[in-house]
Amino acid sequence: MRIEDLRADIDQIDEKFVELFKQRMEVAAKIAEYKKENDQPVLDKQRERRLIERVSQLAGKDFEAEARVLYNTVMSVSRSYQNKLLTRKSDLIDGIKNAIENTDKVFPERAFVACQGTEGAFSQQVCEKLFAAPNIMFFNSFEGVFAAVEKGLCSYGVLPLENSSAGSVNHIYDLMFKYNFRIVRSTRIHVDHSLLVKKGVKLDQIKEIYSHEQAINQCANFLQELEGVKVHMCENTAMAAKTVAQSERDDIAAIASGNCASIYGLEIAKGSVQNIDNNYTRFICISKKTEIYPGANKTSLMVVLEHKPGALYNVISKFHSLGINIIKLESRPIPGRDFEFMFYFDIDASVYSEKFYNILLQLESETEKFHYLGSYVEVV
């Protein structure tokens, strides 16, 4: 047979397929109405499990796997449609709408802001980019920043989330699971690392280098060229510069911003030592309460899923069926639970869109644990 004839057969089958799909969705709408009247949830796991098994048997061995994929998608679309038809009460959605209504229309210019490190840290640069006049409180650890915001010691906190060359800051994702907070802003800054030394010290005199783990990873190529030089990790690049400045030794150096050289009386032995010039770090600004400023078009979420095949696929298919783009997906092991993971999503969806609330309803009702982390604008 010619390919045109085969495609004509496919077209005829698809016409019948779509007509049956429409009939199925019409029945799904009636089921949604029944569930609303009887206060039943949209998701019925036992029913879906039985349906998948039945469809698999009907498809036979040759198409069993494909039928499972197809009907998992069909059921996801059906649930999405039912959720759209139902007007269920959700404390989360009520809280989001209340935040949109009551948050100031302009991001604050002045605030007490927590960041990790000391004077000269990249986090400080972000604070000064986001706020016109920040009152900055420095903490020794990332956890200190989370705790300061949760306890109300600071209105906001600034934290690095990921770097374009070194990847995600895993410790931040682990702490996200532990603390209550909301993301209210994000931004990216260009990160240029320099090798800082005491005045008069030459490159060939250096025996040890101090810096933060992320900076060390971002400058790995340069460090590999240095023979016999030990590299030590510390809490922050600015702390590394301060350590060198306060030390009595002349054979140690720090990898930090060039700004730290003037702050701590050091010299730049070599500038731009990062692996790539196009080196950016993304930071988030967090608060204790939900604040959603005008134009919020990014949302961050965390979900914990059942440890079984297809669990992550089922979640991703929900975003796909609603036409929501996933910007970032990160997984982290859950402490104390064997081979179970928390999944972090950044999605591109306006807080004013219907599909945004639809996906929240689905995730709330269909995942083991769900955390809404905030909706915000990324500042250029």
Side-chain angles (χ1 to χ4, degrees), residues 318-337:
K318 299 180 195 304
F319 293 104
H320 176 68
S321 66
L322 290 169
I324 295 175
N325 186 34
I326 298 173
I327 304 169
K328 180 179 177 62
L329 172 59
E330 187 81 22
S331 65
R332 293 297 300 160
I334 300 174
R337 297 172 66 170

Side-chain angles (χ1 to χ4, degrees), residues 21-33 78 81-82:
F21 173 72
K22 288 166 60 179
Q23 292 178 28
R24 193 184 195 283
M25 295 298 281
E26 288 169 359
V27 175
K30 294 177 182 178
I31 291 174
E33 185 178 346
S78 178
Y81 183 54
Q82 290 185 43

Side-chain angles (χ1 to χ4, degrees), residues 26-301:
E26 288 169 359
V27 175
K30 294 177 182 178
I31 291 174
E33 185 178 346
Y34 176 87
K35 289 177 177 178
K36 181 179 180 180
E37 291 174 354
N38 292 273
D39 196 27
Q40 293 183 2
V42 169
L43 176 62
D44 185 338
K45 291 184 179 180
Q46 290 184 344
R47 161 65 180 167
E48 291 195 0
R49 192 160 42 244
R50 290 195 300 268
L51 190 151
I52 288 292
E53 291 303 320
R54 178 172 176 272
V55 167
S56 299
Q57 292 176 9
L58 290 171
K61 291 183 179 179
D62 290 343
F63 304 110
E64 177 182 357
E66 289 79 4
R68 283 179 175 270
V69 172
L70 173 61
Y71 270 82
N72 270 311
T73 302
V74 168
M75 289 188 297
S76 178
V77 171
S78 178
R79 289 195 302 271
S80 177
Y81 183 54
Q82 290 185 43
N83 275 312
K84 184 169 69 173
L85 295 174
L86 297 175
T87 53
R88 294 186 180 278
K89 180 175 174 56
S90 166
D91 291 339
L92 171 60
I93 290 177
D94 287 346
I96 290 171
K97 291 181 177 180
N98 183 64
I100 293 172
E101 183 70 24
N102 293 295
T103 301
D104 291 340
K105 302 310 176 187
V106 178
F107 196 72
E109 294 189 349
R110 294 174 174 80
F112 282 93
V113 187
C115 72
Q116 187 264 349
T118 188
E119 191 76 20
F122 287 108
S123 293
Q124 178 187 352
Q125 295 181 31
V126 175
C127 289
E128 292 169 347
K129 178 179 180 179
L130 294 177
F131 300 90
N135 192 332
I136 301 173
M137 294 179 65
F138 291 104
F139 292 84
N140 291 331
S141 66
F142 294 139
E143 184 158 17
V145 175
F146 276 104
V149 172
E150 186 176 81
K151 294 176 181 177
L153 298 177
C154 293
S155 301
Y156 301 96
V158 166
L159 296 155
L161 197 61
E162 58 184 319
N163 177 263
S164 56
S165 61
S168 299
V169 186
N170 291 330
H171 189 41
I172 298 294
Y173 289 97
D174 295 337
L175 290 170
M176 283 181 173
F177 200 72
K178 182 177 179 181
Y179 287 91
N180 294 315
F181 66 95
R182 290 287 187 265
I183 301 174
V184 298
R185 268 290 192 272
S186 70
T187 191
R188 299 169 190 264
I189 64 166
H190 182 255
V191 175
D192 187 84
H193 293 297
S194 296
L195 185 70
L196 308 184
V197 297
K198 288 188 174 180
K199 292 182 178 180
V201 175
K202 304 300 181 184
L203 188 61
D204 58 6
Q205 295 177 250
I206 298 169
K207 295 181 180 179
E208 297 180 15
I209 294 175
Y210 293 81
S211 196
H212 185 263
E213 180 182 8
Q214 277 279 320
I216 292 169
N217 292 334
Q218 293 165 32
C219 303
N221 296 342
F222 167 72
L223 293 172
Q224 287 174 0
E225 297 173 359
L226 304 177
E227 295 184 4
V229 176
K230 294 182 179 180
V231 179
H232 301 280
M233 289 187 290
C234 58
E235 292 293 335
N236 186 271
T237 54
M239 288 181 176
K242 188 175 183 179
T243 298
V244 171
Q246 293 178 343
S247 174
E248 296 180 358
R249 295 173 57 181
D250 292 327
D251 59 352
I252 62 174
I255 290 178
S257 70
N259 187 42
C260 286
S262 58
I263 293 173
Y264 296 106
L266 301 173
E267 288 184 345
I268 298 177
K270 187 175 178 61
S272 299
V273 295
Q274 64 273 6
N275 298 341
I276 58 174
D277 290 333
N278 190 32
N279 186 39
Y280 285 84
T281 296
R282 180 183 176 221
F283 287 79
I284 55 173
C285 179
I286 65 172
S287 71
K288 183 176 183 179
K289 64 178 184 177
T290 304
E291 297 178 7
I292 302 177
Y293 292 90
N297 59 357
K298 286 183 172 59
T299 292
S300 296
L301 312 165

